[in-house]
Amino acid sequence: MGKKLVVANWKMHGNMAENKRLLQAYINQLSSLKNTDVVVCVPYPYLAQAQSMLQNTNIAWGAQNLSKDAVGAHTGEVSAAMIKDFGASYVIIGHSERATAYCESDENIATKFVQAQAHGLTPILCVGETLIEREAGVMQMVVGKQLDTIISTYGAAVFAKSVVSYEPIWAIGTGLAASSDQAQSMHEFIRGKVAMLDKEAAASMKILYGGSVNPQNAVQLFVMQDIDGGLVGKCSLNAQEFEQICRVAA
Ligand code: PEP
């Protein structure tokens, strides 16, 4: 097992003053952290602030979405190159809050995945099923299909050194995290699916768990064989809780 990775997803929270306090708390509390990579994904307008505060620290930064197009007449969109311009190294792709509210197709998500990589950004691809799909027992089929759109167009090798985050939709922001067994079983499925086509890619990709991660459930989740860390929403807005989650990972 390699280094764990913990990613903060601030969603649409923050302002210059609050971010300054939160980032400074991250810096102070996490500077001694070893064996764990930490990333904070901020809203676009704060990429410059993240860059100026986090450069030369052990915390990387990223965005929460990107355009599937490289450049052109796409009003309101933000390209991979623009994100990279602010020193970012990661970008979240296909978060269910976007996929549902902004009708993002699996095809668009696949294009964004390779667009990110083409510009030196590590994609954090979110996959996951709804509660109805889990109750119907079709969760692996659903997640498998989300991965297949990328695999069938670009091959399994694109998963090398990428990040996939298993985020059951019923667990996001609900306080109801998946159990460590539920998460491990899906993570094993995801890694196995990629490994069938490309063993090296499967071994080098990180598979995070996201969905109501907190300092308590992180203890059970992060010891599982195929759980390489977490994508953290709500608890990342609290520096103490986020630090505790990072320390569990470490
Ligand atoms: C998320 O935003 O990806 C997430 C998992 O949120 P939360 O931790 O609040 O459930």
Side-chain angles (χ1 to χ4, degrees), residues 147-175:
L147 297 171
D148 276 339
T149 312
I150 295 181
I151 294 171
S152 63
T153 318
Y154 302 106
V158 295
F159 283 102
K161 299 205 172 102
S162 75
V163 180
V164 172
S165 187
Y166 170 50
E167 301 224 310
I169 294 168
W170 47 272
I172 298 175
T174 59

Side-chain angles (χ1 to χ4, degrees), residues 108-128:
N108 264 10
I109 291 168
T111 312
K112 289 181 177 193
F113 188 95
V114 292
Q115 188 65 241
Q117 288 184 325
H119 290 84
L121 292 166
T122 300
I124 303 171
L125 172 74
C126 299
V127 296

Side-chain angles (χ1 to χ4, degrees), residues 8 10 13-30 40 42 49 53-54 59 233-242:
W10 281 4
H13 292 285
N15 56 51
M16 291 296 273
E18 260 179 42
N19 301 347
K20 190 173 175 199
R21 271 194 298 276
L22 189 52
L23 289 175
Q24 196 54 58
Y26 279 17
I27 295 165
N28 296 345
Q29 292 166 215
L30 296 172
V40 52
V42 301
Q49 187 183 26
M53 288 189 69
L54 297 177
I59 303 169
K234 187 162 171 274
C235 283
S236 71
L237 299 174
N238 177 312
Q240 270 73 36
E241 288 182 326
F242 189 62

Side-chain angles (χ1 to χ4, degrees), residues 7 9-11 92 95-97 126 165-168 171-176 209-214 231-236:
V7 180
N9 175 14
W10 281 4
K11 310 195 184 192
I92 296 173
H95 193 286
S96 63
E97 284 160 11
C126 299
S165 187
Y166 170 50
E167 301 224 310
I172 298 175
T174 59
L176 187 79
Y209 167 76
S212 298
V213 174
N214 62 36
L231 180 55
V232 185
K234 187 162 171 274
C235 283
S236 71

Side-chain angles (χ1 to χ4, degrees), residues 8-244:
N9 175 14
W10 281 4
K11 310 195 184 192
M12 199 173 70
H13 292 285
N15 56 51
M16 291 296 273
E18 260 179 42
N19 301 347
K20 190 173 175 199
R21 271 194 298 276
L22 189 52
L23 289 175
Q24 196 54 58
Y26 279 17
I27 295 165
N28 296 345
Q29 292 166 215
L30 296 172
S31 63
S32 63
L33 192 77
K34 301 257 182 303
N35 302 321
T36 296
D37 291 321
V38 178
V39 178
V40 52
C41 290
V42 301
Y44 292 138
Y46 303 121
L47 280 170
Q49 187 183 26
Q51 179 178 33
S52 98
M53 288 189 69
L54 297 177
Q55 60 193 344
N56 305 319
T57 72
N58 58 344
I59 303 169
W61 59 98
Q64 301 170 13
N65 182 37
L66 83 166
S67 172
K68 70 176 176 51
D69 297 295
V71 67
H74 304 288
T75 304
E77 288 290 273
V78 174
S79 73
M82 291 171 183
I83 295 167
K84 193 70 193 169
D85 248 354
F86 290 92
S89 33
Y90 289 82
V91 61
I92 296 173
I93 292 174
H95 193 286
S96 63
E97 284 160 11
R98 293 200 57 78
T100 323
Y102 306 100
C103 307
E104 214 163 16
S105 67
D106 286 350
E107 287 71 22
N108 264 10
I109 291 168
T111 312
K112 289 181 177 193
F113 188 95
V114 292
Q115 188 65 241
Q117 288 184 325
H119 290 84
L121 292 166
T122 300
I124 303 171
L125 172 74
C126 299
V127 296
E129 79 286 354
T130 63
L131 186 57
I132 293 173
E133 289 161 345
R134 174 155 286 268
E135 284 173 351
V138 296
M139 56 276 183
Q140 291 193 349
M141 204 181 81
V142 170
V143 169
K145 184 175 163 285
Q146 291 165 349
L147 297 171
D148 276 339
T149 312
I150 295 181
I151 294 171
S152 63
T153 318
Y154 302 106
V158 295
F159 283 102
K161 299 205 172 102
S162 75
V163 180
V164 172
S165 187
Y166 170 50
E167 301 224 310
I169 294 168
W170 47 272
I172 298 175
T174 59
L176 187 79
S179 70
S180 48
D181 286 340
Q182 285 173 323
Q184 165 58 28
S185 149
M186 184 61 86
H187 284 223
E188 197 179 337
F189 166 75
I190 294 169
R191 204 182 300 281
K193 188 170 171 64
V194 175
M196 273 193 302
L197 300 160
D198 192 321
K199 283 202 174 51
E200 275 174 36
S204 72
M205 74 198 274
K206 289 206 187 298
I207 310 179
L208 309 184
Y209 167 76
S212 298
V213 174
N214 62 36
Q216 291 73 42
N217 60 31
V219 177
Q220 281 92 48
L221 287 160
F222 291 176
V223 292
M224 303 308 280
Q225 165 91 24
D226 288 291
I227 300 186
D228 301 316
L231 180 55
V232 185
K234 187 162 171 274
C235 283
S236 71
L237 299 174
N238 177 312
Q240 270 73 36
E241 288 182 326
F242 189 62
E243 180 199 358
Q244 285 168 32

